[in-house]
Amino acid sequence: MIDARYQAFDAVVQARSFEAAARRLNLTQSAVSQRIKQLEAELGQVLLVRSKPVQPTPAGRRLLPYVAQLRLIEAEAARALAGDGAHAPVRLSVGLNADTLATWFLPAVRQVVQDEAVVLECVVDDQDHTHALLAGGDVLGCVSTRPDAMRGCAVRPLGVMRYLCVASPEFCARHFPRGLTRQALARAPGIVFGRHDDMHDLFLRQHFGLDAGQYPQHVVPSSEGFWSLAAAGLGYGFVPTIQIARQLAEGVLVDVAPGHAEDVALYWHHWQVQSPLMARLSDAVVDGARGALALP
C-alpha cells in the first residue's frame, strides 16, 4: 500500500481541503493533518498552503508526479495479487492535443485499453503546453512538441503531423478569387482552435504581415468542428492532412496555400520509471504514431 502520509497528501490535493480528504480516507481531519505534518517534517519542506481551497506549494507541486506514480503502482500491485480473475480497471491519465486525440491516438492504444481493462483520462491541451500537465502530476504521459526530456522523464519521437490551410471551393471562390492576398485575408474569416493555437497567426504574420486582431476569426475548440466549419464554407484554417484525406480527395476541401504546409514534430514524454502497464501503453503510443505520422 502507498505510504499513509503520501496518501493523505494526495487526498488533500485532490479534494482541495482537509475536511473532504478526511471523509475520502475515512479518517479524522486531525489524523490527516498529522500525517501531512509528519511528511513535511521528514522531507524538510512545506507541501501545502493551508488556504481555502488548499493549494500545493512549489515543493508540493514537484512531489505530485511521484505521488501519481505511487498511486498507479499501488493499483497494479493490487491487480497482480488478485490473480487472473476479474479485476478493477486501472485509470491512466494522458495529456494530448485535440488533433492527436481525434486522429491516431485511440487506434494506437485500443488493444492495450481493451486487454488490460484500462480507463483513460484524456486531458486535452495545445501540444505546446501538454508537458506542463506531466510536470504538474496531472498526467503520466503526454504528447508534446517539446523535444527535450524534463527532469526524471524520458522522451521518444513520434513523427510529424502535417497541416494544410484548407477551405471549401465555394469559400475560395467568394473570398480568394485572386488567391491569397493581404487585402482578402484581412476580411476572410479564419478558424482557430483556441487561445493557445498560434499556427494561423504565425502564418499570416510571416507571409502577409497581418497581426492577430487584424482579421476575423472563428474560435472552434473541437477538431471535428474545426474542419466541419471549413467544409461548410464558413472559414479557412489549418487542419491535419490525416484527418481530411477523404475530403481533399473528393474536393470537399482544397489547399488554399499550396507549398505552405506546416509540419509539427510530436514527442511522447513519460516518467523514466514506469509501471509495467504504463510502459505497455507508451510502447503502443510510439508504435501507433509511427504508423500514422510522417517521418521527421
Side-chain angles (χ1 to χ4, degrees):
M1 293 288 291
I2 185 173
D3 185 291
R5 297 166 303 172
Y6 288 96
Q7 187 181 48
F9 169 72
D10 183 45
V12 171
V13 171
Q14 297 294 324
R16 304 184 74 185
S17 85
F18 282 84
E19 182 180 0
R23 289 197 299 269
R24 179 178 297 184
L25 296 174
N26 198 26
L27 295 169
T28 66
Q29 187 172 333
S30 176
V32 171
S33 179
Q34 186 62 33
R35 289 181 182 184
I36 292 175
K37 287 179 180 177
Q38 290 172 356
L39 181 60
E40 290 175 326
E42 180 178 322
L43 298 178
Q45 301 272 359
V46 176
L47 301 175
L48 295 172
V49 178
R50 273 71 169 175
S51 58
K52 290 187 177 180
V54 177
Q55 298 286 341
T57 64
R61 285 194 294 271
R62 290 194 297 272
L63 185 61
L64 286 174
Y66 302 98
V67 175
Q69 291 181 82
L70 288 173
R71 194 189 316 125
L72 176 58
I73 290 171
E74 179 185 26
E76 289 197 46
R79 172 182 285 197
L81 291 173
D84 296 330
H87 40 244
V90 172
R91 179 179 297 276
L92 296 180
S93 54
V94 292
L96 307 168
N97 60 306
D99 291 334
T100 287
L101 181 59
T103 54
W104 61 267
F105 182 79
L106 294 179
V109 302
R110 176 181 177 277
Q111 201 63 50
V112 174
V113 170
Q114 180 176 293
D115 292 349
E116 301 290 349
V118 166
V119 287
L120 289 173
E121 180 181 3
C122 297
V123 184
V124 177
D125 203 342
D126 185 83
Q127 59 263 20
D128 294 335
H129 298 268
T130 48
H131 61 271
L133 299 169
L134 183 63
D138 298 297
V139 299
L140 295 162
C142 71
V143 173
S144 172
T145 54
R146 178 171 174 162
D148 57 308
M150 295 178 289
R151 183 178 180 181
C153 292
V155 60
R156 301 166 71 178
L158 296 174
V160 171
M161 183 171 278
R162 171 159 290 187
Y163 288 76
L164 293 182
C165 189
V166 299
S168 71
E170 295 77 15
F171 184 91
C172 292
R174 186 167 65 254
H175 291 279
F176 306 135
R178 297 178 179 84
L180 297 188
T181 65
R182 191 177 192 277
Q183 184 178 19
L185 289 165
R187 296 193 302 267
I191 312 170
V192 299
F193 188 84
R195 62 188 179 90
H196 287 157
D197 178 14
D198 60 359
M199 184 179 294
H200 198 106
D201 291 342
L202 291 174
F203 172 72
L204 292 190
R205 184 181 305 123
Q206 179 180 353
H207 297 288
F208 298 95
L210 286 170
D211 289 321
Q214 293 184 314
Y215 47 87
Q217 56 183 221
H218 302 287
V219 179
V220 185
S222 159
S223 289
E224 293 80 2
F226 196 107
W227 72 259
S228 295
L229 196 76
L234 300 177
Y236 73 103
F238 284 90
V239 183
T241 57
I242 60 174
Q243 191 175 22
I244 54 169
R246 179 177 62 82
Q247 288 79 9
L248 289 170
E250 295 175 353
V252 175
L253 293 171
V254 295
D255 183 357
V256 302
H260 293 287
E262 297 288 338
D263 288 343
V264 177
L266 298 176
Y267 302 85
W268 176 248
H269 292 254
H270 60 79
W271 292 98
Q272 287 179 343
V273 179
Q274 297 189 98
S275 70
L277 183 52
M278 191 62 198
R280 186 179 175 193
L281 185 83
S282 291
D283 289 342
V285 168
V286 173
D287 290 344
R290 289 176 180 172
L293 302 180
L295 296 175

